[in-house]
């Protein structure tokens, strides 16, 4: 089984380039099948979730030409099946975007209920509420969502919870509906704006993405487009926390600093230095860092996808920090693993009380999910001694070349798939 072996203690130093945003790419790839013309998508991250999504797209009959690692051309004219195959799609949660895309284009969709990271109960009632408001009949049969509409008509939709997935999904379904749809209490994450910009580049008429109210005027059809995906805010934030936790000095390139403000603010409160450039941020980790509190909230609040990584950084700060998780109830599964490395975190309900420690010590730990896995790698890089991080398949779902990017910053990390290789690494990195 593949795992990372890490020798901690080296401050990370240098430059790292951030890949395209996975969560934007998932929405954009689904939306791409809505046109019958060629759509060229650039700055695609080369990660497992994206590759599964591309397999699913070709499985339904669309043409998928991978031009290079980060560029793909998709043509949805040849789609022969509005029923997405189980095997591929159950592996990723964002498969639900096919409901909005196929319903919007063909007025029919059959998609298995989503899998993905197990970070709490993740209902899709708001998605379904939106599709129904647009005139679709939606039912769940043998584990699949089946949506059908004679005709899609614009509607005024008010979401009861702020949901990234429901906002993107309903926006896609409304793009070719008759009339003007208004989505209220919409999510405002950068990838919502990116998906809306992409749909507009194909001829859609969407206004207000990035605010609470999105207006979608239905158009007859969508044409081809060329589009580059925004940088990944969460990958960037992960490297920012890594720089702080290892007391390093890292320039994180190809980012939109505005998207990182919530993370920057917290690192500054802790006493770190953060310099902002046009398309880069530099994080210089302070030797002594202070506690602070975080509470996850929809954008522009502190992202839930950065909660575990920040909790690791806070573990190495002086004093007691409160980490409140208000989006997903099951997102503290990394705490038990961190305590094996000497972490001192107590979870009470949706609050983790993080007591600062001097240092982590190396241990063998296992990733419970994607972002928690990244957090454990940060802890291992800051720890004294060797660690192994198992179940790295989760990490590879969302981070491109994670170990290589870290190694280029001087982190001592190696992907190994046998005990023999692990031994070799230990012998090579003596001390
Ligand atoms: C997306 C991201 C995920 C991130 C999350 C929150 C993708 C592929 N994934 O997930 O990485 O952690 O946003 O920023 O972009 N909810 C409902 N009913 C619904 C939908 C959601 O009650 O129909 C609730 C959820 O249980 C959760 C909250 O709304 O408590 C937010 O979920 P949502 O924004 O939908 O997350 P995802 O789109 O699944």
């Amino acid at each position: 089984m593949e795992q990372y072996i890490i020798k901690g203690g080296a401050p990370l130093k240098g430059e790292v380039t951030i890949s395209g945003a996975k969560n934007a790419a998932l929405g954009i790839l689904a939306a791409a099948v809505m046109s019958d013309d060629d759509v060229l998508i650039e700055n695609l991250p080369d990660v497992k979730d994206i590759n599964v999504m591309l397999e699913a797209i070709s499985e339904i009959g669309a043409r998928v030409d991978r031009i290079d690692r980060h560029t793909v051309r998709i043509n949805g004219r040849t789609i022969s099946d509005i029923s997405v195959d189980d095997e591929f799609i159950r592996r990723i949660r964002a498969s639900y975007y096919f409901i909005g895309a196929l319903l919007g284009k063909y007025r029919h969709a059959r998609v298995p209920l989503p899998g993905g990271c197990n970070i709490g109960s993740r209902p899709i009632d708001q998605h379904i509420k939106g599709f129904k408001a647009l005139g679709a009949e939606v039912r769940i049969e043998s584990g699949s969502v089946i949506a059908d509409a004679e005709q899609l008509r614009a509607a005024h939709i008010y979401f009861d919870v702020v949901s990234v997935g429901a906002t993107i999904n309903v926006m896609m379904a409304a793009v070719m509906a008759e009339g003007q749809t208004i989505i209220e209490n919409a999510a405002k994450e950068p990838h919502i704006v990116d998906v809306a910009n992409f749909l507009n580049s194909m001829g859609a008429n969407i206004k207000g993405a990035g605010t609470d109210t999105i207006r979608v005027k239905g158009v007859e059809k969508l044409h081809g487009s060329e589009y580059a995906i925004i940088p990944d805010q969460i990958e960037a934030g992960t490297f920012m926390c890594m720089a702080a936790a290892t007391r390093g000095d890292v320039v994180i390139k190809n980012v939109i600093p505005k998207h990182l403000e919530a993370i920057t603010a917290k690192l500054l409160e802790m006493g770190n230095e953060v310099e902002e450039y046009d398309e880069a941020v530099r994080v210089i980790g302070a030797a002594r860092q202070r506690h602070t509190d975080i509470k996850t909230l929809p954008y522009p609040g502190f992202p839930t996808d950065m909660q575990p990584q920040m909790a690791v950084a806070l573990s190495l700060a002086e004093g007691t920090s409160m980490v409140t998780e208000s989006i997903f109830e099951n997102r503290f599964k990394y705490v038990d693993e961190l305590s094996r490395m000497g972490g001192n975190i107590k979870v009470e309900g949706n609050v983790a009380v993080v007591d600062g420690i001097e240092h982590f010590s190396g241990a063998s730990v296992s990733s419970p999910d994607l972002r928690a896995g990244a957090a454990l790698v940060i802890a291992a890089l800051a720890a004294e001694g060797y660690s192994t991080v198992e179940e790295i398949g989760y990490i590879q779902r969302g981070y491109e070349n994670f170990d290589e990017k870290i190694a280029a910053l001087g982190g001592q990390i190696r992907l190994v798939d046998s005990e023999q290789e692990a031994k070799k690494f230990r012998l090579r990195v003596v001390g």
Side-chain angles (χ1 to χ4, degrees):
M1 264 320 232
E2 284 190 335
Q3 51 184 236
Y4 292 137
I5 173 156
I6 295 166
K7 178 169 185 288
L12 295 200
K13 291 203 164 128
E15 293 183 354
V16 60
T17 301
I18 297 307
S19 301
K22 171 188 77 99
N23 287 348
L26 290 167
I28 285 172
L29 288 177
V33 307
M34 296 183 78
S35 170
D36 280 344
D37 300 330
D38 277 1
V39 174
L40 187 81
I41 300 164
E42 294 168 338
N43 203 31
L44 197 69
D46 185 12
V47 296
K48 275 192 190 163
D49 272 10
I50 296 301
N51 296 327
V52 172
M53 195 78 175
L54 287 172
E55 279 177 57
I57 290 175
S58 69
E59 193 68 17
I60 56 173
R63 219 184 61 220
V64 176
D65 300 320
R66 192 72 178 254
I67 291 164
D68 60 39
R69 261 187 96 184
H70 300 122
T71 313
V72 69
R73 189 185 299 113
I74 292 178
N75 189 306
R77 187 178 8 197
T78 48
I79 289 178
S80 50
D81 197 353
I82 46 88
S83 157
V84 179
D85 192 271
D86 243 306
E87 186 207 337
F88 293 114
I89 222 55
R90 271 201 208 281
R91 288 190 241 150
I92 46 166
R93 184 167 170 76
S95 53
Y96 56 38
Y97 288 143
F98 284 117
I99 314 172
L102 296 174
L103 177 67
K105 185 178 181 190
Y106 297 109
R107 311 299 190 236
H108 306 285
R110 183 191 183 105
V111 180
L113 281 168
C117 270
N118 176 20
I119 51 175
S121 104
R122 295 174 80 169
I124 57 164
D125 57 301
Q126 297 302 306
H127 305 231
I128 292 174
K129 171 178 166 169
F131 300 142
K132 284 187 172 164
L134 293 170
E137 267 185 35
V138 187
R139 59 189 199 282
I140 295 178
E141 233 178 67
S142 326
S144 288
V145 180
I146 303 167
D148 285 299
E150 287 280 307
Q151 212 192 351
L152 290 173
R153 291 176 314 271
H156 197 140
I157 299 158
Y158 180 88
F159 284 135
D160 303 314
V161 293
V162 178
S163 159
V164 172
T167 303
I168 291 179
N169 228 344
V170 174
M171 197 165 75
M172 289 195 295
V175 153
M176 288 187 268
E178 219 181 287
Q180 177 171 251
T181 296
I182 301 176
I183 303 171
E184 310 249 28
N185 201 24
K188 297 181 279 206
E189 268 69 2
H191 42 294
I192 293 191
V193 180
D194 211 32
V195 177
N197 286 343
F198 171 65
L199 285 164
N200 285 342
S201 80
M202 294 200 294
N205 185 342
I206 303 172
K207 296 210 167 80
T211 74
D212 293 323
T213 308
I214 298 180
R215 291 185 159 75
V216 187
K217 263 200 195 133
V219 295
E220 284 276 303
K221 62 183 218 143
L222 298 178
H223 53 69
S225 163
E226 289 186 10
Y227 194 82
I229 294 167
I230 53 166
D232 198 303
Q233 169 206 16
I234 305 300
E235 187 197 8
T238 301
F239 278 98
M240 291 170 79
C241 285
M242 207 180 281
T246 63
R247 276 55 181 162
D249 179 352
V250 180
V251 177
I252 298 148
K253 292 165 61 177
N254 186 33
V255 301
I256 300 173
K258 172 107 190 96
H259 296 167
L260 303 171
E261 274 171 358
I263 303 152
T264 300
K266 288 297 155 185
L267 291 175
L268 288 172
E269 280 172 33
M270 292 166 70
N272 298 292
E273 277 180 59
V274 183
E275 295 170 5
E276 283 185 10
Y277 302 90
D278 286 347
E279 291 181 0
V281 291
R282 176 180 179 189
V283 178
I284 305 168
R288 294 181 63 164
Q289 299 179 23
R290 294 184 293 277
H291 64 98
T292 187
D293 296 338
I294 64 169
K295 180 174 186 183
T296 63
L297 286 170
Y299 190 83
F302 191 89
T304 173
D305 284 357
M306 281 302 304
Q307 182 260 103
Q309 303 89 312
M310 189 57 88
V312 166
L314 289 171
S315 286
L316 297 168
E318 284 171 13
T320 302
S321 305
M322 308 278 268
V323 174
T324 307
E325 173 55 59
S326 53
I327 311 284
F328 293 115
E329 72 267 29
N330 204 2
R331 245 194 153 161
F332 288 129
K333 285 190 294 183
Y334 61 91
V335 165
D336 287 345
E337 300 300 300
L338 274 188
S339 58
R340 293 150 56 77
M341 301 178 75
N344 189 357
I345 305 180
K346 282 182 208 69
V347 177
E348 284 160 27
N350 70 336
V351 179
V353 182
V354 181
D355 274 321
I357 54 170
E358 281 293 310
H359 55 78
F360 285 111
S361 40
S364 185
V365 292
S366 176
S367 309
D369 59 61
L370 165 60
R371 305 303 172 186
L376 293 174
V377 170
I378 298 177
L381 288 165
E384 286 187 350
Y386 288 94
S387 298
T388 51
V389 180
E390 290 168 12
E391 297 291 345
I392 61 169
Y394 282 115
I395 300 175
Q396 292 163 335
R397 290 176 59 162
Y399 290 90
E400 179 175 313
N401 290 354
F402 198 44
D403 48 325
E404 287 156 33
K405 288 186 184 186
I406 293 169
L409 294 171
Q412 294 184 321
I413 179 169
R414 171 73 68 88
L415 191 157
V416 297
D417 62 7
S418 68
E419 190 43 43
Q420 212 181 355
E421 276 186 57
K423 252 192 210 142
K424 255 199 243 162
F425 176 82
R426 284 198 183 87
L427 283 175
R428 197 174 55 78
V429 187
V430 191

